[in-house]
């Protein structure tokens, strides 16, 4: 068993888990943040995507102990209180979700995409960078529309500033 | 239409919880004291179990209990049932092989559950499951339908000689033989419809909780039809009495058919909870999902079509072998028979049709309904044949279809179905216009100059939704009626709760059903709450599959709303001292037509509950229920046109344009309908280009992960051009036909017709992988 501490959605948390516990299970089982989902066992579907120190990662592909000391943001942490963030809003306005199971991972991946590309984001890039996120419901059409709309609203590329 | 009524693009009420991570799926549920289950599964496709030894597992950390088929049998838990009895053409009933929820001495597919381990954590349960030692005596294996019928093939079930479960026919064999006596031309085609895995992204899960204090059972499960699950678990599996069993299907992350069935796992979790006195949760991983979720399709057919000298169809003969997998699943007899051959007339006047379907057991996972269920297979047969015929005749595929379209309604086909309405020419013309078919040759030439092969393919599908008139399906062998129920509860303040037997697992019922209410009374959709998925709340319901929630589920709501409206009008007339016939309810007001006398909707509702001033003899309250049994199936139809470019050097196909023109009858919410079409198209295009379940000859599933089974990703698909035309359904109150499956039904032949057009070789099977396409190109060069 290991003691794990990290910041999740701005709150310091700690807990005990087995060494083999994946970050996604630590989030879901220890912290009861069940918005992050598990859709596969081969790191392919992206239902589990969260941000680790500001970058999108698959929380099923990292041990909780590896994430110890990091800053984690999950789908539960991106709205500002009652106000949805622009990617969340775009998903609703463009009907970018049906069953909602892939949606948290999609939103976290696309937010990361927009953080890097800003309003330069184009359809080809969205489709290419969604290679690690599978949606079985929407045919991606409205997810792509939501991503492009959110990008246009979120403004200029931010990566330059961050690096 | 009101701003939020029928036909309005209302954003989804349910979205907020999903986009903020607050959806509640089965695996998100936990109850105090809950423990975790893992299943011990067969690694062999066909074997006798000679011994089971759990002694090592019992010593492992966190171990609580191991249970197997012996205990299950001793407790009287019944075998898995099939809900539709199909009769073979010789009059004999289908040959069901016994399918216990935990294997009884023999296993017949890889992944079949043998035992359950319960432990403190999920990881410990999985470890201990690996610690259960089982010895097997391997038996010979057959995985392919036609092979399973051959002499000397391994036999799966003693009941089913040559592995044939049923040898079923539909249509008039003599009339069809006559049509082939003297035709001007016969078109022949061999058709394979590839086996698929439905793959909702939420894996199946179950949480069984026996409460000994109350002697009551609760089962959370990923179900499209929780009431059916409760009925079947109590009436057939004897897990719990129906009145003491609550089944909850909370948010469900996609179904596509795979979550209709009542699988061994939820039965065993519930039973194991009673045995162990702890709540037991099991969540499938993706590998288990590939191994054990019911697969779809897997047909091998030969098709013959007879034409007269005017290129009119005289007759159609289809022989199909349907691979059923190792055991019958809930609807697996109906899917390749009554949901398939009944649609073989397509959009065309075909005077004589004969279909023979052999349902065959193999050492593979059970096969059942997957989005479209039988209708994609029928559409693929007919639309590949139509395109092939047009090419052989040297005609435009549109013209050949035009000559043969059904134009008068109602139309009785030779295969049971009676189409109430449609306009096939209109959807084809609309699609051709949007797809700019007239400009295609120019685009083909331009592509050629870039070294690309460009092709155009069309598919004019018709399908049957709104399953189904109970009496009709009963006479064909269905074990249940296929009506739907609804209850409308108007609260004293005028807000409304709709309790429905339909179940939403992505379809947006919380919004569309509220729109139906908004349309009726002019109340905002935010004042309408949809309650579904809980057998303790909703009295009964048949659930959601076969695109039935609009045509059947909303019809039940509409019927219950009729009763509420009638009572509210009586109360309004009494309070306003007017004639009942003069009362109208609109925009949230109850008015006397042609006067300014009116009451707010909530005043009438409050009046119904105070009971202070009701018409003599009227009961207080405003709550009504209805059961709606459809009069007929509904018949969505449309035309899909796919344009592809193939790279002859690599065999890679790119979809450069995809146009869908659909007639779904009236539409409640165009945004949601378009979303349903997009999703269906993605699955149909996935079938045509990417997806295929493959077993090797030893029965090992070689496509058991997303590394090996090619799911459509964003870069595989184009933006779709989707439009709708309307001929309202004539047999239900709202004129709805259904839209959930059309995309998956109509698109595979459009894609395959386009690729075969591009490469000039009609001999190509799905999925049209680059390797297959490259070989097909080189076979004709
Ligand atoms: S669960 Fe992490 S990629 Fe599928
Ligand atoms: S919305 Fe269901 S998987 Fe994407």
């Amino acid at each position: 068993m290991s003691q794990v501490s990290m910041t999740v959605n701005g709150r310091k948390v700690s807990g005990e888990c087995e060494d083999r516990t994946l970050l996604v299970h630590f989030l879901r089982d220890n912290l009861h943040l069940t918005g992050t989902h598990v859709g596969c066992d081969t790191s392919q579907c992206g239902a589990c995507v969260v941000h680790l120190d500001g970058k999108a990662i698959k929380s099923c592909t990292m041990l909780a102990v590896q994430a110890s000391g990091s800053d984690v943001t999950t789908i539960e942490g991106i709205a500002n209180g009652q106000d949805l963030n622009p990617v969340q809003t775009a998903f609703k306005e463009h009907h970018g979700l049906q069953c909602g199971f892939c949606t948290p991972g999609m939103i976290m991946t696309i937010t990361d995409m927009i953080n890097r590309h800003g309003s330069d984001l184009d359809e080809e890039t969205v489709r290419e960078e969604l290679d690690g996120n599978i949606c079985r419901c929407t045919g991606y059409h409205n997810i792509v529309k939501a991503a492009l709309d959110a990008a246009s609203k979120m403004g200029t590329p931010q990566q330059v500033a961050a690096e | 239409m009101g701003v939020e009524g029928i036909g309005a693009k209302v954003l989804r009420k349910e979205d907020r919880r999903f986009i903020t991570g607050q959806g509640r799926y089965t695996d998100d549920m936990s109850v105090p004291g809950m423990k975790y289950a893992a299943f011990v599964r067969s690694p062999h496709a066909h074997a006798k179990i000679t011994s089971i030894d759990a002694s090592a597992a019992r010593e492992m950390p966190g171990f609580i209990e191991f249970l197997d088929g012996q205990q299950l049998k001793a407790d009287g838990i019944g075998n898995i049932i099939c809900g539709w009895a199909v009769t073979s053409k010789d009059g004999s009933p289908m040959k069901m092989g016994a399918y216990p929820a935990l294997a009884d001495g023999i296993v017949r597919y890889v992944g079949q559950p043998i035992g359950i381990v319960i432990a403190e954590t999920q990881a410990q349960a999985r470890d201990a499951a690996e610690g259960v030692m089982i010895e097997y005596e391997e038996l010979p294996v057959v995985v392919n339908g036609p092979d399973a019928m051959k002499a000397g093939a391994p036999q799966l079930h003693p009941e089913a000689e040559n592995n044939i479960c049923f040898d079923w026919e539909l249509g008039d064999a003599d009339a069809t033989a006559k049509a082939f006596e003297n035709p001007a031309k016969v078109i022949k085609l061999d058709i394979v419809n590839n086996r698929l895995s439905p793959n909702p992204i939420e894996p199946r899960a179950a949480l069984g909780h026996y409460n000994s204090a109350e002697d009551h059972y609760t089962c959370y499960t990923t179900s499209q039809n929780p009431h059916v699950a409760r009925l079947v678990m109590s009436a057939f599996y004897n897990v719990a009495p129906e009145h003491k069993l609550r089944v909850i299907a909370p948010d469900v992350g996609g179904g596509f058919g795979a979550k209709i069935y009542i699988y061994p796992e939820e039965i065993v979790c519930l039973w194991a909870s009673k045995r162990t006195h702890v709540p037991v949760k099991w969540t499938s991983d993706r590998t288990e999902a590939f191994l054990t979720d019911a697969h779809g399709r897997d047909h091998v057919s030969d098709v013959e079509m007879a034409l007269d000298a005017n290129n009119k169809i005289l007759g159609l003969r289809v022989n199909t072998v349907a691979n059923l997998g190792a055991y019958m699943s809930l609807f697996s007899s109906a899917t390749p028979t009554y949901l398939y051959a009944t649609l073989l007339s397509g959009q065309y006047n075909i005077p004589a049709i004969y279909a023979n379907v052999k349902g065959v057991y193999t050492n593979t996972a059970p096969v059942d309904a997957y989005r479209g269920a039988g209708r994609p297979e029928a559409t693929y047969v007919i639309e590949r044949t139509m395109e092939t015929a047009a090419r052989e005749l040297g005609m435009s595929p549109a013209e050949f279809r035009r000559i043969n379209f059904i134009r008068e309604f109602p139309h009785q086909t030779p295969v049971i179905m009676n189409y109430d309405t449609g306009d096939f020419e209109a959807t084809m013309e609309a699609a051709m216009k949007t797809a700019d078919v007239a400009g295609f040759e120019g685009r083909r030439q331009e592509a050629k100059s870039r070294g690309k092969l460009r092709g155009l393919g069309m598919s004019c599908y018709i399908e049957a939704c709104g399953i189904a008139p109970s009496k009709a399906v009963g006479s064909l062998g269905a074990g249940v009626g296929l009506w739907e129920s609804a209850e409308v509860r108007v609260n004293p303040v005028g807000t409304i709760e709709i309790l429905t037997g339909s179940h939403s697992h992505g379809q947006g019922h919380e919004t569309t059903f509220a729109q139906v209410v908004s349309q009726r009374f002019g109340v905002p959709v935010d004042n309408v709450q949809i309650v579904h998925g809980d057998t303790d709340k909703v009295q009964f319901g048949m659930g959601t599959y076969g695109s039935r929630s609009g045509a059947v589920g909303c019809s039940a709501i509409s019927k219950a709303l009729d009763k509420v409206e009638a009572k509210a009008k009586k109360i309004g007339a009494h309070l306003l001292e007017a004639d009942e016939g003069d009362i109208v309810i609109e925009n949230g007001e109850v008015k006397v037509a042609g006067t300014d006398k009116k009451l707010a909707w909530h005043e009438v509702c409050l009046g119904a509950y105070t009971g202070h001033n009701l018409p003599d003899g009227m009961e207080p309250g405003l709550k009504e229920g209805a059961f709606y049994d459809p009069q007929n199936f509904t018949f969505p139809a449309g035309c899909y046109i796919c344009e592809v470019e193939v790279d002859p050097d690599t065999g890679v196909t790119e979809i450069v344009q995809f146009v869908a023109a659909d007639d779904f009858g009236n539409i409640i919410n165009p945004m949601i309908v378009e979303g349903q079409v997009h999703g269906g198209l993605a699955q149909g295009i996935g079938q045509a280009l990417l997806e295929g379940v493959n077993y090797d000859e030893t029965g090992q599933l070689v496509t058991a992960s997303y590394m090996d089974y090619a799911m459509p990703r964003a870069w595989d698909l184009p933006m779709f051009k989707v439009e709708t035309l309307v001929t309202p359904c004539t047999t239900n109150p709202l004129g709805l036909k259904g839209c959930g499956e059309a995309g998956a039904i109509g698109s595979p032949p459009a894609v395959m017709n386009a690729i075969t057009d591009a490469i000039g070789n009609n001999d190509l099977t799905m999925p049209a992988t680059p390797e297959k396409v490259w070989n097909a190109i080189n076979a004709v060069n």
Side-chain angles (χ1 to χ4, degrees):
Chain A
M1 295 297 258
S2 297
Q3 189 69 26
V4 178
S5 318
M6 59 186 89
T7 305
V8 178
N9 300 331
R11 269 184 43 225
K12 289 209 177 314
V13 296
S14 58
E16 201 173 64
C17 63
E18 279 191 277
D19 293 352
R20 61 176 167 177
T21 301
L22 298 170
L23 175 58
V24 65
H25 289 130
F26 182 75
L27 293 170
R28 288 179 57 80
D29 299 342
N30 290 50
L31 305 181
H32 306 292
L33 292 171
T34 54
T36 303
H37 297 150
V38 180
C40 75
D41 41 20
T42 51
S43 197
Q44 291 281 308
C45 76
C48 61
V49 172
V50 300
H51 289 186
L52 186 91
D53 297 327
K55 291 207 169 84
I57 58 114
K58 288 181 168 168
S59 62
C60 74
T61 312
M62 175 179 251
L63 298 169
V65 287
Q66 288 176 294
S68 202
S70 299
D71 192 349
V72 175
T73 307
T74 70
I75 187 72
E76 289 93 342
I78 60 168
N80 184 3
Q82 282 301 298
D83 295 336
L84 299 174
N85 91 355
V87 183
Q88 290 172 310
T89 304
F91 264 72
K92 181 173 167 102
E93 284 180 355
H94 293 280
H95 188 30
L97 65 150
Q98 291 181 24
C99 78
F101 198 79
C102 74
T103 311
M106 287 284 177
I107 289 177
M108 298 312 284
T109 298
I110 288 167
T111 304
D112 176 80
M113 245 184 245
I114 297 173
N115 286 344
R116 287 180 289 106
H117 299 283
S119 53
D120 295 342
L121 193 63
D122 59 15
E123 183 188 335
E124 205 183 322
T125 310
V126 175
R127 288 190 185 273
E128 195 166 313
E129 292 202 3
L130 278 182
D131 67 340
N133 290 72
I134 301 176
C135 174
R136 191 55 151 172
C137 298
T138 64
Y140 305 98
H141 183 110
N142 288 339
I143 291 177
V144 173
K145 275 170 72 180
L148 295 176
D149 185 36
S152 75
K153 290 185 175 138
M154 282 171 80
T156 48
Q158 294 173 5
Q159 190 182 23
V160 191
E163 281 179 0
Chain B
M1 106 194 157
V3 280
E4 295 185 321
I6 291 176
K9 179 192 165 184
V10 176
L11 298 183
R12 297 204 321 173
K13 283 156 56 84
E14 46 271 84
D15 282 354
R16 190 173 181 97
R17 66 176 184 273
F18 296 123
I19 56 186
T20 54
Q22 297 175 96
R24 295 280 282 155
Y25 301 90
T26 299
D27 186 48
D28 301 338
M29 302 294 166
S30 52
V31 295
M34 184 177 82
K35 308 298 177 193
Y36 295 83
F39 282 85
V40 180
R41 299 183 182 280
S42 172
H44 299 295
H46 200 188
K48 273 190 191 138
I49 298 170
T50 52
S51 70
I52 299 178
D53 177 5
S55 53
R58 287 181 188 280
E59 302 306 316
M60 291 173 75
F63 178 92
I64 294 171
E65 185 57 289
F66 169 75
L67 300 166
D68 67 18
Q70 292 310 313
Q71 287 129 321
L72 187 91
K73 199 168 160 186
D75 281 358
I77 305 298
N79 288 341
I80 306 291
I81 60 154
C82 177
W84 198 305
V86 160
T87 305
S88 288
K89 61 187 183 188
D90 65 4
S92 65
M94 63 185 192
K95 315 287 191 299
M96 282 278 290
Y99 184 10
L102 294 174
D104 182 17
I106 188 155
V107 283
R108 295 181 175 89
Y109 67 95
V110 171
Q112 183 174 349
I114 294 170
I116 183 174
V117 169
I118 296 146
E120 292 291 335
T121 71
Q122 188 182 54
Q124 287 171 337
R126 288 179 180 180
D127 286 346
E130 283 181 16
V132 176
M133 294 301 146
I134 302 180
E135 283 181 27
Y136 299 91
E137 184 186 314
E138 286 186 60
L139 297 168
V141 169
V142 63
V143 297
N144 169 288
D147 289 349
M149 299 189 306
K150 286 185 187 149
Q155 298 295 295
L156 269 74
H157 298 285
E159 299 85 353
E161 202 182 324
N162 298 322
N163 296 313
I164 297 175
C165 176
F166 53 80
D167 180 357
W168 174 90
E169 65 180 359
L170 185 67
D172 188 332
D174 292 341
T176 308
K178 236 171 145 217
F180 280 86
E181 266 171 19
N182 213 351
K185 190 163 178 64
V186 174
I187 311 296
K188 293 188 181 186
L189 206 58
D190 292 328
I191 297 240
V192 178
N193 204 294
N194 45 331
R195 186 179 183 116
L196 303 174
S197 174
N199 267 301
I201 303 298
E202 180 207 21
R204 288 193 292 118
L207 165 51
H209 183 191
Y210 174 66
N211 177 334
S212 57
E214 311 264 340
D215 188 29
H216 185 273
Y217 302 74
T218 305
C219 182
Y220 291 90
T221 178
T222 49
S223 173
Q224 300 176 217
N225 32 229
H227 287 90
V228 176
R230 183 175 71 150
L231 170 66
V232 170
M233 284 204 264
S234 57
F236 297 96
Y237 305 145
N238 310 316
V239 194
E242 196 170 7
H243 64 298
K244 288 179 178 286
L245 172 59
R246 176 183 190 184
V247 177
I248 302 172
D251 287 329
V252 172
F256 315 118
K259 293 173 181 169
I260 297 171
Y261 324 114
I262 296 84
Y263 288 90
E265 290 86 357
E266 48 263 35
I267 302 165
V268 171
C269 282
L270 201 52
W271 165 71
S273 175
K274 176 148 193 205
R275 293 274 308 213
T276 57
H277 295 279
V278 292
V280 174
K281 179 159 87 176
W282 165 79
T283 305
S284 172
D285 63 28
R286 185 55 55 188
T287 309
E288 285 180 290
F290 274 110
L291 289 170
T292 65
D293 288 8
H295 293 163
R297 321 284 192 254
D298 205 345
H299 285 196
V300 178
S301 303
D302 62 76
V303 186
E304 289 175 287
M305 179 183 272
L307 304 173
D308 73 9
N310 298 318
N311 301 323
K312 288 202 171 221
I313 305 167
L314 293 169
L316 181 73
R317 196 155 46 198
V318 182
N319 291 303
T320 296
V321 176
N323 189 340
L324 300 171
Y327 298 98
M328 297 304 278
S329 166
L330 194 63
F331 284 130
S332 66
S333 53
T335 301
T337 55
Y338 290 108
L339 300 180
Y340 163 66
T342 52
L343 271 305
L344 282 171
S345 194
Q347 297 190 350
Y348 314 106
N349 263 306
I350 305 182
I353 299 177
Y354 176 77
N356 174 242
V357 181
K358 294 183 177 73
V360 178
Y361 291 116
T362 63
N363 295 111
T364 62
V367 179
D368 206 325
Y370 162 54
R371 200 171 195 169
R375 293 101 84 207
E377 294 91 318
T379 302
Y380 195 68
V381 163
I382 185 103
E383 287 306 291
R384 285 286 290 132
T385 307
M386 292 302 283
E387 200 93 354
T388 302
R391 285 178 196 164
E392 289 189 17
L393 294 166
M395 286 179 79
S396 97
E399 188 51 30
F400 178 60
R401 287 180 170 90
R402 219 172 259 132
I403 292 173
N404 287 289
F405 273 151
I406 295 162
R407 291 169 192 280
E408 279 168 30
F409 298 91
H411 174 87
Q412 178 63 52
T413 72
V415 278
I416 300 180
M417 291 300 182
N418 190 297
Y419 303 162
D420 63 329
T421 182
D423 187 343
F424 307 144
E425 176 106 33
T427 40
M428 188 173 77
E429 290 301 328
M432 287 176 70
K433 191 155 172 262
T434 306
D436 185 23
V437 171
F440 172 70
E441 276 310 320
R443 296 194 293 279
R444 197 203 290 264
Q445 291 311 319
E446 188 277 328
K448 203 172 167 191
S449 71
R450 289 182 281 112
K452 294 283 175 68
L453 304 172
R454 197 157 174 130
L456 186 90
M458 177 184 276
S459 156
C460 294
Y461 77 90
I462 187 163
E463 59 132 339
C465 291
I467 185 167
S470 298
K471 203 168 171 182
V473 294
S475 74
L476 301 176
V480 288
L482 288 168
W483 42 263
E484 194 46 89
S485 84
E487 192 177 311
V488 177
R489 285 189 199 159
V490 183
N491 296 317
V493 292
T495 56
I496 298 172
E497 285 147 35
I498 301 289
L499 291 83
T500 170
S502 298
H503 184 277
S504 180
H505 26 280
Q507 294 89 338
H509 294 170
E510 289 168 42
T511 306
T512 48
F513 289 10
Q515 287 181 255
V516 172
V517 180
S518 177
Q519 173 80 21
R520 187 67 76 104
F521 301 132
V523 295
V525 293
D526 277 344
N527 287 1
V528 184
Q529 188 72 20
I530 307 301
V531 179
H532 69 105
D534 183 340
T535 61
D536 261 17
K537 293 183 180 164
V538 179
Q539 187 215 337
F540 208 94
M542 300 313 296
T544 289
Y545 39 83
S547 306
R548 67 193 303 276
S549 301
V552 191
C554 278
S555 296
I557 293 171
S558 179
K559 227 179 133 186
L561 288 171
D562 289 344
K563 298 183 191 175
V564 168
E565 183 177 348
K567 185 167 180 185
K569 279 183 171 170
K570 278 200 177 80
I571 298 170
H574 179 74
L575 296 174
L576 292 164
E577 295 174 341
D579 196 56
E580 197 186 316
D582 292 334
I583 301 288
V584 289
I585 304 179
E586 58 187 17
N587 298 327
E589 291 175 334
V590 181
K591 311 179 197 175
V592 184
T595 75
D596 58 1
K597 284 179 29 180
K598 63 183 179 188
L599 290 166
W601 166 251
H602 64 86
E603 292 177 284
V604 172
C605 301
L606 188 63
Y609 282 92
T610 62
H612 295 163
N613 187 10
L614 291 176
D616 280 347
M618 180 184 274
E619 288 178 19
L622 195 51
K623 179 190 102 161
E624 300 287 350
F627 284 70
Y628 172 79
D629 200 352
Q631 301 167 28
N632 191 0
F633 286 88
T634 65
F635 297 98
C639 177
Y640 293 168
I641 298 178
C642 177
E643 201 164 320
V644 298
E645 272 189 17
V646 177
D647 183 336
D649 296 333
T650 61
V652 170
T653 299
E654 185 192 353
I655 295 183
V656 288
Q657 176 170 267
F658 201 103
V659 172
D662 294 289
D663 177 359
F664 297 135
N666 291 335
I667 282 170
I668 298 174
N669 184 327
M671 177 191 82
I672 285 178
V673 167
E674 279 177 25
Q676 290 294 309
V677 176
H678 296 161
L681 293 178
Q683 291 182 1
I685 293 169
Q687 167 166 31
L689 291 183
L690 299 160
E691 298 178 41
V693 167
N694 282 320
Y695 284 93
D696 70 12
E697 68 279 9
T698 68
Q700 291 297 328
L701 182 61
V702 294
T703 50
S705 83
Y706 287 149
M707 312 278 279
D708 309 294
Y709 185 91
M711 293 281 278
R713 314 240 174 177
W715 64 28
D716 295 309
L717 299 167
M719 294 309 263
F720 304 109
K721 295 181 181 169
V722 174
E723 63 198 295
T724 52
L725 286 82
V726 178
T727 62
C729 173
T730 63
T731 57
N732 63 48
L734 300 174
L736 309 173
K737 294 184 182 177
C739 66
E741 296 160 289
I745 291 168
S747 55
V751 177
M752 294 304 284
N753 287 340
I755 302 174
T756 51
D757 177 53
I759 65 174
N761 184 350
N762 205 32
D763 188 13
L764 185 68
T765 56
M766 300 188 288
T769 56
E771 182 193 4
K772 280 198 217 164
V773 173
W774 188 85
N775 281 324
I777 293 169
N778 286 292
V780 286
N781 285 348

